[in-house]
Amino acid sequence: MIQACGLRKNYGTTVALDGVDLHVREGEIYGVLGRSGAGKSTLLRCVNLLERPTAGTVRVAGQDLTALGDAELNRARQRIGMIHQHFALLSSRTVAGNVSFPLEAMGVPRAERERRVGELLELVGLGGRGKDRPHQLSGGQKQRVGIARALAGNPSVLLSDEATSALDPATTESVLGLLKRLNAELGLTILLITHEMNVVKSVCDSVAIMSGGRIEESGTIADLVRTP
Ligand code: ADP
Ligand code: ADP
């Protein structure tokens, strides 16, 4: 579902990605684990071309994103949802307005948007909270709004940038449970980055360990746990 080959990213003289190969299979939850500065976030932003890699290719659902022009890339990105550590919600908009935002950008008509927003809020357990403002919600609820918004375009892939790092342990479990349910029920492929081993252990099928812009090791969770 996601195939990155020979990814490199330089920022001036800083080498953020130093030749990364990544293969995420359809329907799996894949975790990239590493310390701060390892290059995880750069990798994630190169997967949806928010950053252009200095070298290498990224294929998502068979399409080489690195070969696309801006207009085609915008269309391809609708099939890739993303959630963020600090949720990135628009504080001036209601919960429903936040989830509706990508649908408006796609030109979905109002009646269809309202139906879809209602469905998405139900899906993430926030039915009835559409008229609230983000500041009225807990951290876990804000992340659920982020997830609903990320799913608006009916993506096949969800990218998660430290989505539970700002949450307490119980809320983390609950948000991870939601991601697992979406993976099982929708067949959603999830690529997540984290610095927390417990996140990887609790939801990931596969894991890559990243350090200094490289993947040091990768395999199934069982492989990793067996490693002495
Ligand atoms: P992680 O997500 O694992 O913490 P990052 O991908 O954020 O790691 O960073 C990897 C390296 O690239 C770090 O040395 C970081 O300082 C550098 N870096 C990341 N983004 C930028 C940027 N926009 N400009 C300059 N250097 C950056
Ligand atoms: P905001 O104040 O956040 O901009 P709006 O009332 O202007 O909220 O609505 C923005 C969009 O959000 C609407 O076009 C609609 O698609 C969607 N929306 C708003 N309220 C609801 C709701 N209760 N249920 C479903 N969708 C809604």
Side-chain angles (χ1 to χ4, degrees), residues 177-203:
L178 173 61
L179 292 181
K180 224 175 159 58
R181 182 161 69 73
L182 295 171
N183 167 257
E185 286 178 11
L186 309 177
L188 188 67
T189 303
I190 301 177
L191 173 60
L192 65 83
I193 64 169
T194 181
H195 64 279
E196 293 173 297
M197 176 60 113
N198 63 338
V199 167
V200 162
K201 276 192 176 160
S202 92
V203 290

Side-chain angles (χ1 to χ4, degrees), residues 100-161:
S100 170
F101 192 69
L103 297 169
E104 291 165 39
M106 287 173 221
V108 175
R110 182 171 187 117
E112 165 71 13
R113 271 194 331 252
E114 290 188 359
R115 190 188 58 72
R116 182 84 183 119
V117 168
E119 240 172 46
L120 287 161
L121 289 177
E122 287 292 333
L123 182 68
V124 301
L126 288 177
R129 304 299 300 265
K131 289 190 159 53
D132 289 353
R133 301 274 160 183
H135 71 84
Q136 294 170 282
L137 305 182
S138 69
Q141 289 171 331
K142 284 181 191 158
Q143 193 54 284
R144 286 167 188 269
V145 177
I147 292 169
R149 178 184 55 190
L151 296 179
N154 202 18
S156 44
V157 167
L158 179 70
L159 305 179
S160 168
D161 185 352

